[in-house]
Amino acid sequence: MALHTPEGYRAFTPDSLRPWLASLPALAARLGGSPQQWQISEVGDGNLNLVFLVDGTDGGVCVKQSLPYVRVVGESWPMPLERAWFEYQHAVVAGPHLAGLIPAPLHYDATLFASVVALLRPHRVLRGELLAGQRYPQAASAVAEFVARSAVHTSPLAQPLEAVAGQVAGFAANLALTRVTAELVFADPFEALPRNRWTSPQLDDTVAALRANAPLRAAVAELGHRFLTRREALLHGDLHTGSVMVSADDTRVIDAEFALYGPVGFDTGVFVANLLMAYFAQPGYSDSDAAHSGYADWLLEQVAVFWQHFARRYDALWAAHASGDAWPQRLFADADGQAAFAAGRARRLADIYQDTLGFAGAEIVRRITGFAHNADFERIADPALRARCEQAALALASELLLQPQAFGHIGAVLARAQAQADHHTATLEAAA
Amino acid sequence: MALHTPEGYRAFTPDSLRPWLASLPALAARLGGSPQQWQISEVGDGNLNLVFLVDGTDGGVCVKQSLPYVRVVGESWPMPLERAWFEYQHAVVAGPHLAGLIPAPLHYDATLFASVVALLRPHRVLRGELLAGQRYPQAASAVAEFVARSAVHTSPLAQPLEAVAGQVAGFAANLALTRVTAELVFADPFEALPRNRWTSPQLDDTVAALRANAPLRAAVAELGHRFLTRREALLHGDLHTGSVMVSADDTRVIDAEFALYGPVGFDTGVFVANLLMAYFAQPGYSDSDAAHSGYADWLLEQVAVFWQHFARRYDALWAAHASGDAWPQRLFADADGQAAFAAGRARRLADIYQDTLGFAGAEIVRRITGFAHNADFERIADPALRARCEQAALALASELLLQPQAFGHIGAVLARAQAQADHHTATLEAAA
């Protein structure tokens, strides 16, 4: 079956990419030397796209191109090419506020649905680095900075309602990937669908119990309603640890093709969930060097580093840039007003915190019982061991979904995560 | 100063309207007879538009046309003509769910920014009827039905996210009137602006105290943030008692030019506020026949009738039409699921109720201290008496904004309204 694509569209190969890059003077100049000297490798390890890394004699670029279907599934799951456009639009709209936190955008081709950004060297994908037991002390706070800046600067807290309305309307058209999230996160895990999978038979009973838990289904549905109605700010939309590139002293967020206006707690929740899953997977790597140097504790600590940096910066950025139509700063200039404004920011952060817990719970559930799984757990070869790690994560996720108010501060999440990990995997560790 | 208008636009007069209607066969046929027999009167008593009532020999139409400025102010306050388009779009999008609750749309002219709807006979404006002490026992529940149907059917509770996204994007462009609300409701009352006014000097201290109340300003700002970010459903956007036409057995909601996707509690709150203001104005009409027959009590009761009808119908319509992407009904088909879904609907209604109280408080404050006032109070000739009525309303509004959680059910609002009315106007009544 050949999917219909617009006239002029063709999927790049390394051979066809080279002359295309050569035809674009700014990119050719950036790469330097002659096109034959450029090293091109295709590295798309995600679910959706073609990704080419191009090293020239002077510099490098990364080319990302939409395919008309979900790459990991094949042509049986068509996917509109326009997602490349929304990723590019994210860089246009949020990019000016995210200098140093995303790769510099260089070019977009509307016919080929291809974007070109600066190549990140020597960056590696954060998820893989965490799997390898590496510590990047600045990564969690850099991602928190990314979310805080996006959340304030693209919102009506900082912008006139007219500017926000135009952006809301634009990103409302990112339908295909919004539907992916609506289904994969907020519905699929509770349905008998062929695309769902889990560590079986070890987790069969756990998954059955999750599905049978009607209050949990309702909690996820309530979060789904928030995801679809609360257009608070421009989100990344898929902020897991595979969407972050790190080097020793630099962190960049990539792959914003799911970008949409939504609840800020969705981005924070997804990132928190992925840090937590890296933590819960640690018993699967207990024979590594890292295991003996407190790596699991370090991972857990990153959850607090992330949330605390986000909360501090969201508060400070909002206070410094309250020039939008929501909470107009001219009404809060006096001393009483300053205090009331600060109290309002604290209330809002408390709301985002509660959303964060819920969305984190939903993300964990779907990553272990739904379609798209995390390498953190997948790479644990022993299914019994993997299942124990996953069960600990699911136990915390259930609590985050059903009793978010029990986690009055982020420290309570860390403590409970540790307790669940100890409870589900202590015997395994003892036997190791 | 002549404002720029698009080519082909001209403001109608009765003389130019007649041949235009005659040139439209469906409308001419509806009116019947010859154009010279049609009775045309211009009745625009609102703030913004031209409104013509046309009676033919067989039937009637109402023609509403945007002017390029705010009518009540003049050409010094320009206002885009496009608002007529959004009112028409409201009828297109929500109309199919609102049969019998809005006038039937008949025609729209994109060059003249004019819409034609069925003439409502013998309907009168609800606000005027309430001022005249008339009872329309079905009006409050009909308006509640209008809000409930709009709130469910235009939302992702009932519609696929793709349909909702298109509508959100479309109404996000209704910028001019969204700005009017953002400023007039959520900012102006707390600023020293020439367009604000109040009963002076009697309310000078009260207004100064409101403005000095930083937690109250923060409560209003928080509601403004919700108004600008929570795109729950298609709202009417200006649902006061002047936007409702009534006859003995029929109620229709008109004037949806402020239509936008927003928080459902904004529509319910504005309507509750306007019923409450009609109630608080009653001491100003204490020598009328109505005053001696419990009319104030009847008005207050309409607040409960409205809220209870809305809550019951929102719940029932959602349960019956949960075919959207938020709260997908297929996940709640079993008995436990039904119970969890019902609990979720109750939580959502509790949220809308809290929003309703807050938005009602903000609407009362802006109608008494801001730019656009209500005839309910304005027609009280004695400023001292008017001020007492307004003070009672403002006292309740402050409580609704600062302690919404103190009003656990709608009956508590009624009781407190009565207490405030008694407190502020009892001595006046005793002297009357």
Side-chain angles (χ1 to χ4, degrees), chain A residues 91-342:
Chain A
V92 169
V93 170
H97 309 292
L98 297 173
L101 295 169
I102 60 173
L106 301 175
H107 185 74
Y108 180 73
D109 188 301
T111 303
L112 296 166
F113 297 93
S115 62
V116 186
V117 300
L119 186 64
L120 298 171
R121 287 281 191 226
H123 298 63
R124 305 173 71 125
V125 176
L126 176 60
R127 189 189 301 285
E129 294 302 285
L130 299 183
L131 276 167
Q134 299 299 312
R135 301 184 190 208
Y136 288 82
Q138 88 296 346
S141 41
V143 177
E145 181 75 19
F146 170 94
V147 183
R149 288 198 209 163
S150 304
V152 170
H153 288 294
T154 68
S155 81
L157 303 174
Q159 291 197 32
L161 67 90
E162 290 82 0
V164 177
Q167 292 156 11
V168 166
F171 287 97
N174 196 3
L175 294 170
L177 293 196
T178 301
R179 172 158 291 288
V180 166
T181 302
E183 294 185 353
L184 263 51
V185 179
F186 300 108
D188 277 18
F190 306 102
E191 296 194 87
L193 296 173
R195 66 184 178 195
N196 286 336
R197 65 187 171 85
W198 54 86
T199 302
S200 182
Q202 290 85 353
L203 289 189
D204 289 359
D205 290 349
T206 304
V207 172
L210 277 177
R211 287 190 182 172
N213 189 329
L216 191 139
R217 296 202 300 275
V220 172
E222 201 159 304
L223 290 161
H225 182 252
R226 288 181 196 198
F227 176 76
L228 290 173
T229 58
R230 298 203 178 170
R231 315 251 176 175
E232 298 169 356
L234 182 58
L235 307 187
H236 178 278
D238 192 27
L239 193 56
H240 55 76
T241 50
S243 295
V244 180
M245 303 284 291
V246 288
S247 70
D249 57 3
D250 193 57
T251 303
R252 307 275 172 154
V253 176
I254 62 168
D255 284 354
E257 63 201 332
F258 281 79
L260 80 167
Y261 266 75
V264 171
F266 183 75
D267 269 2
T268 49
V270 167
F271 195 70
V272 161
N274 280 271
L275 288 176
L276 286 170
M277 286 187 279
Y279 166 75
F280 283 114
Q282 284 306 301
Y285 304 87
S286 59
D287 54 354
S288 69
D289 289 344
H292 303 291
S293 57
Y295 191 65
D297 292 343
W298 181 83
L299 275 174
L300 200 51
E301 192 185 306
Q302 301 315 300
V303 175
V305 169
F306 170 76
W307 174 258
Q308 285 157 356
H309 186 99
F310 166 78
R312 186 169 55 79
R313 290 291 291 156
Y314 183 83
D315 185 73
L317 288 168
W318 180 1
H321 301 279
S323 49
D325 282 298
W327 283 93
Q329 64 188 353
R330 63 186 183 278
L331 300 186
F332 300 97
D334 59 322
D336 280 1
Q338 286 290 306
F341 180 32

Side-chain angles (χ1 to χ4, degrees), chain B residues 101-430:
Chain B
L101 295 169
I102 60 173
L106 302 174
H107 185 74
Y108 179 72
D109 188 301
T111 303
L112 296 166
F113 296 94
S115 62
V116 186
V117 300
L119 186 64
L120 298 171
R121 288 281 192 224
H123 299 63
R124 305 173 70 128
V125 176
L126 177 59
R127 188 187 303 284
E129 295 300 287
L130 299 183
L131 276 168
Q134 298 298 312
R135 301 183 190 208
Y136 288 82
Q138 89 295 344
S141 41
V143 177
E145 181 76 19
F146 170 95
V147 182
R149 288 198 209 164
S150 304
V152 170
H153 288 293
T154 68
S155 81
L157 303 173
Q159 291 197 33
L161 67 90
E162 290 82 359
V164 176
Q167 292 156 11
V168 166
F171 286 98
N174 196 4
L175 294 170
L177 293 196
T178 301
R179 173 156 290 288
V180 166
T181 301
E183 294 186 353
L184 264 50
V185 179
F186 299 108
D188 278 17
F190 306 101
E191 296 193 89
L193 296 173
R195 65 185 179 193
N196 286 337
R197 64 187 172 86
W198 55 85
T199 302
S200 182
Q202 290 85 354
L203 289 189
D204 288 359
D205 290 349
T206 305
V207 171
L210 277 178
R211 287 191 182 172
N213 190 329
L216 190 139
R217 295 201 301 274
V220 171
E222 201 158 306
L223 290 161
H225 182 253
R226 289 182 194 198
F227 176 76
L228 289 172
T229 58
R230 297 201 178 172
R231 315 252 176 174
E232 299 170 355
L234 182 59
L235 307 187
H236 179 278
D238 192 29
L239 193 56
H240 56 75
T241 50
S243 296
V244 180
M245 303 284 290
V246 288
S247 71
D249 56 4
D250 193 57
T251 303
R252 307 274 171 154
V253 176
I254 62 169
D255 284 354
E257 63 201 331
F258 281 79
L260 79 167
Y261 266 75
V264 171
F266 183 75
D267 269 2
T268 50
V270 167
F271 195 69
V272 161
N274 280 270
L275 287 175
L276 286 170
M277 286 187 277
Y279 166 75
F280 283 114
Q282 284 305 302
Y285 305 86
S286 60
D287 55 353
S288 69
D289 289 346
H292 303 291
S293 56
Y295 189 66
D297 292 343
W298 181 83
L299 275 174
L300 200 51
E301 192 185 307
Q302 299 317 299
V303 175
V305 168
F306 171 77
W307 174 259
Q308 286 158 355
H309 186 98
F310 167 77
R312 185 169 56 76
R313 290 292 290 156
Y314 183 83
D315 186 73
L317 288 167
W318 180 2
H321 300 278
S323 49
D325 282 298
W327 284 93
Q329 64 188 353
R330 64 187 183 277
L331 301 186
F332 300 97
D334 59 322
D336 280 2
Q338 286 290 306
F341 180 31
R345 296 198 304 275
R347 282 194 302 276
R348 173 95 180 97
L349 270 165
D351 286 347
I352 298 176
Y353 175 71
Q354 289 293 309
D355 279 1
T356 300
L357 301 183
F359 286 119
E363 168 76 358
I364 290 172
V365 168
R366 73 102 166 191
R367 288 287 186 180
I368 296 175
T369 72
F371 167 70
H373 285 235
N374 278 8
D376 313 49
F377 293 124
E378 297 296 290
R379 288 205 193 157
I380 302 173
D382 173 5
L385 176 54
R386 188 193 325 135
R388 298 294 281 273
C389 297
E390 292 173 326
Q391 266 171 329
L394 289 172
L396 179 69
S398 291
E399 294 179 357
L400 292 174
L401 286 164
L402 291 172
Q403 296 152 347
Q405 70 287 354
F407 298 89
H409 55 93
I410 196 72
V413 178
L414 275 50
R416 197 68 195 134
Q418 197 157 33
Q420 289 291 4
D422 289 351
H423 174 68
H424 285 86
T425 58
T427 49
L428 288 166
E429 283 172 343

